[in-house]
Amino acid sequence: MDDYPLLDLFLTMLFFFLWIMWLFLLFRVVMDIFRDDDLSGWAKAGWLIFCIVLPYLGVLVYVIARGRGMGRRDVKQAKDAESAFKDYIRTTASEGNAGSGGTNELARLAELHDSGALTDEEFTQAKTKLLA
């Protein structure tokens, strides 16, 4: 046990953690390069080559130059996925219950609630009344 002191163990764990964090950041940058529709194909290839040839410098420069856009693209992707999911639920529910007007009313109530026209209490009351 004396061959590997506690401080060396701590430093090894710290370096391992930092290495894993850097790998996570590298993969996030590479995913963001491919996700960005504003970049041309040549720009994507250039950033990718820069991140592969000089990985530490490439990732650092990318985060400095385009880091703010990374967050915006993440939020946009989450909102797009949520709206696509809601649209899928609405179309599936309306196709499954083509004869019932309750589904359409629920969808209309959800839209009014999302737009802020209905408060949470009003939405809950209307939904309970509709489902009863």
Side-chain angles (χ1 to χ4, degrees), residues 27-128:
F27 289 127
R28 288 278 316 250
V29 165
V30 170
M31 285 175 31
D32 189 65
I33 289 171
F34 286 110
R35 183 181 353 170
D36 191 5
D37 293 332
D38 295 338
L39 288 176
S40 68
W42 287 106
K44 288 180 183 184
W47 276 113
L48 194 59
I49 289 171
F50 188 37
C51 287
I52 290 173
V53 172
L54 299 170
Y56 293 107
L57 185 62
V59 168
L60 181 66
V61 170
Y62 187 85
V63 169
I64 290 170
R66 302 184 51 83
R68 183 173 294 158
M70 287 175 69
R72 288 187 195 131
R73 284 184 287 279
D74 282 342
V75 169
K76 182 182 179 298
Q77 182 184 17
K79 285 182 180 179
D80 290 346
E82 181 182 3
S83 71
F85 177 71
K86 285 182 178 181
D87 289 342
Y88 172 75
I89 294 295
R90 285 189 185 111
T91 57
T92 304
S94 65
E95 288 172 1
N97 298 326
S100 72
T103 305
N104 295 332
E105 287 295 317
L106 276 175
R108 190 175 64 80
L109 282 175
E111 288 174 6
L112 289 172
H113 183 254
D114 290 343
S115 69
L118 291 177
T119 64
D120 290 336
E121 290 177 3
E122 292 171 336
F123 175 71
T124 306
Q125 288 174 356
K127 185 173 72 169
T128 305

